[in-house]
Amino acid sequence: MTTYNIAIDGPAGAGKSTIARRVARELGFIYVDTGAMYRAMALYLLRQGIDRNDEKAIEAACSQIDISLRYHEGVQQVLLNGEDVSSLIRTEEVSQMTSAISVYAPVRQKLLELQRELAGTQNVIMDGRDIGTCVLPHAQTKIYLTAGSHVRAVRRFKELEEKGQMCNLEEIEHDIIERDYRDMHRDIAPLKQAEDAVLIDSSHMTIVQVVDAIMEAARKQGLEVTG
Ligand code: DC
């Protein structure tokens, strides 16, 4: 079976998941949030009290971790050793741990196969950092979605504010810049724009405009989009 794959990569807070979820709904594709898989692994390591710099302990822990995805009414749930941890993986502590441990080969290897298997059996829109460059190099449509770090920080700030969480804009921007730097400069599968990816800078675009730009890119790459 030939599946149609859309890869979306980009830095933290660029709006990848919001956009990917919408595109998936419009196209009837499965949305695969690979960041959630890395986050679930980080949560396991945090729970075990493993140091983010202890590569040996992280490698050993990888064999004790089973990550899987489940969909409930179209919404992705990530399971860590059978436990739905979707609501526990969005904290700043988990974000920073995730970025720190995703530099290690055994961590990435563990998730790579699962990600490729998902994309090989169904039409997916998959977001992350290395989807177009490494996980799905043959994805029919590749998008590099970015926005200025200040714009991304403000968006995140508003999101947290709406949830009633106390936060500091400067700290959020600092954390975003730190995470981007680590994700872009690691040795294995760093974040970068694939040569054949369409660059979308959403700094001054609405969600609808970004969704339309992706649909247009997919259409150009042979996807039949009705409506
Ligand atoms: O997309 P996100 O913010 O949920 O990702 C959290 C971290 O996971 C990100 O800072 C780096 C890592 N990650 C990765 O290395 N490769 C991916 N494909 C997805 C996420």
Side-chain angles (χ1 to χ4, degrees):
M1 172 190 174
T2 309
T3 58
Y4 196 100
N5 295 162
I6 301 176
I8 304 191
D9 293 299
K16 299 186 294 296
S17 59
T18 305
I19 300 294
R21 218 173 273 126
R22 291 222 186 181
V23 174
R25 206 184 319 131
E26 292 209 19
L27 295 175
F29 279 28
I30 298 285
Y31 165 49
V32 181
D33 170 2
T34 64
M37 299 176 178
Y38 285 94
R39 286 171 180 271
M41 291 194 74
L43 179 67
Y44 179 89
L45 298 168
L46 281 170
R47 282 176 169 176
Q48 298 295 313
I50 293 174
D51 189 291
R52 61 169 70 180
N53 299 311
D54 190 346
E55 190 172 352
K56 282 236 152 60
I58 292 172
E59 182 170 356
C62 279
S63 63
Q64 298 152 16
I65 305 176
D66 178 62
I67 304 290
S68 56
L69 297 183
R70 187 169 73 185
Y71 290 86
H72 181 69
E73 293 174 353
V75 178
Q76 174 184 294
Q77 296 176 340
V78 61
L79 306 185
L80 167 61
N81 293 334
E83 175 193 353
D84 177 11
V85 293
S86 314
S87 61
L88 306 174
I89 56 173
R90 301 288 161 196
T91 64
E92 194 46 46
E93 184 191 20
V94 172
S95 298
Q96 289 297 340
M97 181 69 168
T98 308
S99 176
I101 60 129
S102 60
V103 305
Y104 299 120
V107 172
R108 307 204 68 81
Q109 197 52 44
K110 176 130 200 134
L111 298 176
L112 185 67
E113 263 168 49
L114 173 59
Q115 291 163 1
R116 284 191 177 151
E117 197 185 298
L118 288 166
T121 52
Q122 58 212 322
N123 295 335
V124 298
I125 177 158
M126 186 178 282
D127 79 356
R129 302 292 186 286
D130 61 338
I131 310 305
T133 52
C134 172
V135 180
L136 305 176
H138 304 300
Q140 290 87 338
T141 297
K142 295 182 188 178
I143 306 291
Y144 189 85
L145 182 63
T146 190
S149 64
H150 189 68
V151 172
R152 290 184 280 132
V154 169
R155 285 180 189 163
R156 179 88 188 119
F157 179 82
K158 285 187 180 156
E159 232 175 65
L160 291 170
E161 222 183 14
E162 270 166 29
K163 286 188 199 161
Q165 292 179 24
M166 290 283 291
C167 50
N168 173 302
L169 182 59
E170 266 175 33
E171 258 172 45
I172 294 175
E173 187 167 357
H174 173 269
D175 287 348
I176 279 181
I177 291 170
E178 191 184 355
R179 199 140 68 89
D180 288 351
Y181 185 86
R182 210 185 292 121
D183 294 345
M184 287 173 177
H185 292 86
R186 65 184 176 218
D187 291 339
I188 313 166
L191 167 65
K192 64 172 185 227
Q193 184 182 341
E195 274 175 24
D196 49 351
V198 174
L199 173 67
I200 301 179
D201 183 334
S202 73
S203 300
H204 306 290
M205 290 170 82
T206 63
I207 292 174
V208 171
Q209 286 172 330
V210 178
V211 168
D212 285 350
I214 294 177
M215 298 292 240
E216 185 54 32
R219 215 176 273 126
K220 279 190 186 152
Q221 295 303 321
L223 184 68
E224 279 183 35
V225 182
T226 50

